[in-house]
Amino acid sequence: MAEKDIPDEVKKFIFLNINSLEQLEVLLFLHKYSENKYSSAEIAQELRTNPGSTEEKLKEIYSLGILNITDKTNPFYQYNQANKYIVEINMLAKAYRDYKHTVITLIFSKPLDNIRSFADAFKLKKDETDG
């Protein structure tokens, strides 16, 4: 149940497109019930999350071309089964079922890795000036 158990395509998709656990759960909910259309309020109720936050996550996912939307004034969202990430999302859904903790760790480790890289860049410069 280590990171090595997660396919590289899934890791890349998470790194580039998933910014929070809530966003992942919204995506996977719509993926699981891809035949149905839901309002943000219905999704928030199903996932027991804040409706405003759910709406924000839906807009993020929609901007990736992963969702269809029925009407911009009274939107209902549906998973787009012809999106360009179909393979990655199918693999992500399986990885989340099989290695939930590892997937969550990947999501939460993203910013830390970026901060660490940023800090390391300054550490190298400091080390260079010490010599």
Side-chain angles (χ1 to χ4, degrees):
M1 291 187 225
E3 188 176 325
K4 67 179 174 42
D5 297 319
I6 307 295
D8 289 340
E9 298 89 343
V10 172
K11 291 178 196 173
K12 182 178 177 183
F13 181 81
I14 290 170
F15 181 76
L16 295 174
N17 301 299
I18 302 298
N19 300 314
S20 68
L21 181 57
E22 182 183 7
Q23 182 188 23
L24 174 66
E25 290 189 347
V26 168
L27 170 61
L28 293 180
F29 174 82
L30 288 167
H31 174 265
K32 182 176 182 177
Y33 301 104
S34 61
E35 300 298 321
N36 302 323
K37 297 175 185 174
Y38 295 93
S39 70
S40 60
E42 290 171 327
I43 296 168
Q45 184 176 0
E46 286 291 325
L47 298 177
R48 295 186 169 95
T49 60
N50 177 288
S53 180
T54 300
E55 180 68 32
E56 181 182 308
K57 303 310 176 217
L58 285 163
K59 288 178 181 176
E60 291 171 5
I61 300 165
Y62 175 74
S63 73
L64 298 171
I66 296 171
L67 303 178
N68 294 323
I69 190 169
T70 57
D71 176 7
K72 299 242 180 193
T73 56
N74 186 21
F76 278 77
Y77 298 88
Q78 184 175 27
Y79 181 75
N80 175 1
Q81 295 186 35
N83 75 75
K84 68 180 181 179
Y85 299 109
I86 190 81
V87 172
E88 292 88 343
I89 294 170
N90 287 338
M91 292 169 69
L92 174 58
K94 182 178 181 343
Y96 193 62
R97 267 192 319 273
D98 297 345
Y99 306 107
K100 187 174 189 172
H101 179 73
T102 304
V103 171
I104 291 170
T105 300
L106 283 171
I107 294 167
F108 284 110
S109 69
K110 281 177 36 174
L112 185 58
D113 290 344
N114 292 341
I115 291 168
R116 205 175 282 134
S117 296
F118 184 71
D120 287 347
F122 283 97
K123 183 179 177 187
L124 288 175
K125 286 183 180 189
K126 183 178 182 255
D127 290 346
E128 291 170 2
T129 59
D130 287 345

